[in-house]
Amino acid sequence: MTKMLKNNIYFLCLFLFLNSQLASAQNDVWGYEYRNEIPVYVDSIQVQLNYPLAWGNSPIKDFVLWRDAARAKVFECMMEAPPKPVAWDVRVLCEEQREGYRARKLEFALSRWYRVKAYLLIPDGEGPFPSVNLLHDHGAHLSIGKEKMIRPFCVDTAIVKDADGWVQSLYGGQYLGDFLAQNGFVVFSTDAPLWGERGRAEGVDRSKYDLIAGNMMMLGRDLSAFMTYDDLAATEFLASLPEVDAERIGCAGCSMGGYRAWMLAALSDRVKAGACICWMGSTFAQLSNHYGRKENGGFANCIPALRQYLDYPHIASLACPKPMLFVSGMKDKLFPIEGVNAAFETMHTVWRSQGVDKQLETYVKDQPHECNLDNQTMILKFLKRHL
């Protein structure tokens, strides 16, 4: 082998070695483009989220005009709504007397496209009564929905057992809806899309939720928005009932139900007060490398492009000046406490700007992600005080 050939082979090997080292170094810097289900450049995106429509950031200084404009943007990002029903067309499926209240299972047209089933609890005595739209949680547990809020009946015993177990684990063994009905409130609850009796023909499968949400987006619709649109429509249905005082309607929920509650309070003039347990934080805390968090709820609270305009607490602030109750847990692993506190301060800034800071109650309790008996008592006292 000639000296020149040896040199050529040497330099070729050196070139390949250095090139592999450079590629390895680049891999160390860039790696794959996605890690732990989020893009590696998530922090770069976060830097660009300046929320130009938030109160104080927006050029609109009149609060009512700002709220109207920001609410309109939320609805724009929610995309097309399901068509409103021509009539509610209510059917009573079952009814039973409970201690101090009656329980009904109903079916009615929530949209021109679909009918839903719901539970309604009516206190004994003469109405109309104050009422609460109770909004169930996510929990990656789709086999039941409204049954997490109100003790089910006229169903298979397996559903009752499922609900009892869930309420024991997340609600201190007490059905929040039955508790509120015993204390004088009409209580209503129905399933969110894909939960309970609004599920898949093929059966419960959490992994299909995101696929269905993607298919909805292909149709120019948003599954999370449909959940909120349905909550808005269900509140209108609740207001139409003769047992209900339409001027005293509240809403409440835990986890995804808490998200649904503040979304509903922010977007509905029907709702006069709302209570949210264990669902509030900032996008930075929920989806950044700093806290190592990611959104496990999938599309359940995903509204396209909305983060370009408003963060979670900014949207919740559309409920101002209504009375609102927020409770979060120090031990809640789903919501970093720094993000919770930042969100609470953002909202207090809004309520203070309107001179109604006492209407916003925010608490951080020594508890995990749950709606325990103490939380339920807080909800009851809050709703009694304001409704």
Side-chain angles (χ1 to χ4, degrees):
M1 185 179 294
T2 65
K3 184 175 182 181
M4 181 177 291
L5 181 56
K6 287 182 179 179
N7 286 340
N8 286 342
I9 293 174
Y10 171 78
F11 285 113
L12 176 61
C13 292
L14 181 61
F15 171 80
L16 292 173
F17 172 76
L18 292 175
N19 194 55
S20 68
Q21 290 298 103
L22 178 60
S24 177
Q26 288 176 333
N27 260 347
D28 288 340
V29 174
W30 297 105
Y32 293 102
E33 196 164 331
Y34 299 92
R35 186 178 294 117
N36 293 324
E37 290 75 55
I38 57 176
V40 296
Y41 46 84
V42 60
D43 295 327
S44 297
I45 295 177
Q46 287 280 11
V47 169
Q48 294 186 349
L49 297 181
N50 54 10
Y51 308 115
L53 271 187
W55 176 248
N57 295 345
S58 169
I60 303 173
K61 302 306 177 186
D62 180 278
F63 188 79
V64 174
L65 293 179
W66 166 77
R67 188 175 58 204
D68 290 345
R71 185 183 278 184
K73 179 57 72 175
V74 175
F75 280 120
E76 177 186 328
C77 291
M78 285 169 61
M79 302 195 285
E80 193 75 17
K84 295 180 180 179
V86 175
W88 299 119
D89 189 20
V90 184
R91 301 173 192 170
V92 177
L93 304 178
C94 295
E95 190 166 9
E96 70 176 23
Q97 181 67 36
R98 296 181 179 177
E99 189 174 348
Y101 60 99
R102 283 167 293 147
R104 289 179 186 161
K105 188 172 186 179
L106 311 172
E107 181 184 282
F108 68 101
L110 192 57
S111 162
R112 288 204 299 273
W113 291 345
Y114 44 85
R115 297 176 62 80
V116 301
K117 294 181 175 67
Y119 287 123
L120 182 71
L121 306 181
I122 305 168
D124 293 343
E126 288 193 29
F129 301 97
S131 64
V132 185
N133 188 352
L134 274 190
L135 307 154
H136 68 75
D137 60 71
H138 186 306
H141 193 78
L142 280 65
S143 55
I144 52 174
K146 60 189 179 298
E147 296 83 6
K148 298 175 180 180
M149 297 282 91
I150 292 173
R151 180 161 51 87
F153 69 113
C154 291
V155 294
D156 189 275
T157 54
I159 294 177
V160 177
K161 184 177 180 181
D162 189 1
D164 284 347
W166 192 257
V167 167
Q168 188 66 45
S169 66
L170 196 66
Y171 295 90
Q174 176 172 266
Y175 284 91
L176 176 56
D178 294 78
F179 173 62
L180 294 176
Q182 288 171 338
N183 284 277
F185 288 89
V186 169
V187 180
F188 169 90
S189 190
T190 190
D191 300 311
L194 285 182
W195 269 266
E197 294 180 284
R198 298 185 67 184
R200 296 168 64 245
E202 300 83 358
V204 175
D205 186 343
R206 166 66 184 89
S207 68
K208 303 299 184 185
Y209 185 95
D210 298 345
L211 295 174
I212 291 170
N215 288 334
M216 291 281 283
M217 286 189 179
M218 287 289 288
L219 295 168
R221 304 296 189 272
D222 180 65
L223 186 58
S224 174
F226 264 46
M227 179 172 68
T228 298
Y229 280 129
D230 285 350
D231 291 341
L232 290 162
T235 304
E236 292 299 321
F237 168 73
L238 183 59
S240 74
L241 299 177
E243 299 90 349
V244 170
D245 183 343
E247 296 303 314
R248 291 189 292 163
I249 297 177
C251 62
C254 171
S255 191
M256 183 185 78
Y259 164 84
R260 295 168 66 191
W262 59 253
M263 280 289 285
L264 180 57
L267 300 177
S268 171
D269 292 328
R270 284 285 189 193
V271 173
K272 307 304 180 185
C276 165
I277 309 298
C278 289
W279 209 115
M280 181 47 66
S282 65
T283 297
F284 178 72
Q286 291 306 112
L287 197 61
S288 70
N289 289 319
H290 183 78
Y291 291 102
R293 283 284 301 138
K294 60 184 177 181
E295 179 47 63
N296 293 311
F299 284 86
N301 60 283
C302 175
I303 296 176
L306 192 49
R307 281 306 145 285
Q308 295 180 28
Y309 307 100
L310 298 157
D311 200 359
Y312 299 120
H314 306 140
I315 302 167
S317 294
L318 295 174
C320 179
K322 297 175 186 178
M324 294 293 293
L325 169 68
F326 288 84
V327 179
S328 291
M330 282 289 294
K331 299 174 182 176
D332 188 339
K333 296 179 180 179
L334 299 182
F335 293 89
I337 199 63
E338 294 87 351
V340 171
N341 288 331
F344 284 173
E345 181 52 36
T346 294
M347 290 189 291
H348 276 291
T349 298
V350 177
W351 264 260
R352 277 196 299 268
S353 76
Q354 302 308 301
V356 290
D357 195 39
K358 289 184 179 180
Q359 296 280 71
L360 176 63
E361 299 182 37
T362 59
Y363 302 91
V364 176
K365 297 285 188 176
D366 184 21
Q367 67 177 68
H369 191 78
E370 65 181 12
C371 182
N372 56 44
L373 298 182
D374 177 61
N375 298 157
Q376 295 184 42
T377 298
M378 292 177 72
I379 292 171
L380 174 62
K381 291 180 178 179
F382 172 81
L383 293 176
K384 276 193 168 184
R385 191 160 60 248
H386 294 291
L387 297 179

